[in-house]
Amino acid sequence: HGTADEETSPRRCGALVGRARAEGGDIRLSFYAGATHGFDDPSRKRRRLPANAAAAEDATDRATRFFAKELADR
């Protein structure tokens, strides 16, 4: 979640994840400093912001590793 998200509040999202965890939810949330809403949008408008480009690269790497691990035995 980008800390500069102009559409969805990072604080509210964090609170929602906290409540879900309290109920036993297995949720991980990463905050990306300075990244905006839709930081992984491949358009030049979004990617020209260095924080968005860095966040997209990290999020893609994390997702790739997550799915490789989760789907390894299938």
Side-chain angles (χ1 to χ4, degrees):
H1 199 290
T3 61
D5 191 320
E6 63 281 6
E7 294 186 34
T8 307
S9 166
R11 185 181 60 182
R12 289 184 73 193
C13 188
L16 177 63
V17 168
R19 288 193 305 271
R21 284 181 181 158
E23 296 292 325
D26 182 15
I27 301 172
R28 283 185 245 168
L29 178 63
S30 297
F31 288 104
Y32 294 104
T36 63
H37 188 82
F39 63 77
D40 60 340
D41 182 333
S43 70
R44 271 187 247 162
K45 178 183 176 185
R46 292 289 181 182
R47 291 292 174 97
R48 74 175 175 224
L49 184 63
N52 284 354
E57 184 176 334
D58 185 67
T60 299
D61 182 57
R62 285 174 183 245
T64 300
R65 286 185 282 126
F66 171 82
F67 285 112
K69 179 182 173 192
E70 294 299 316
L71 300 175
D73 296 330
R74 295 178 192 242

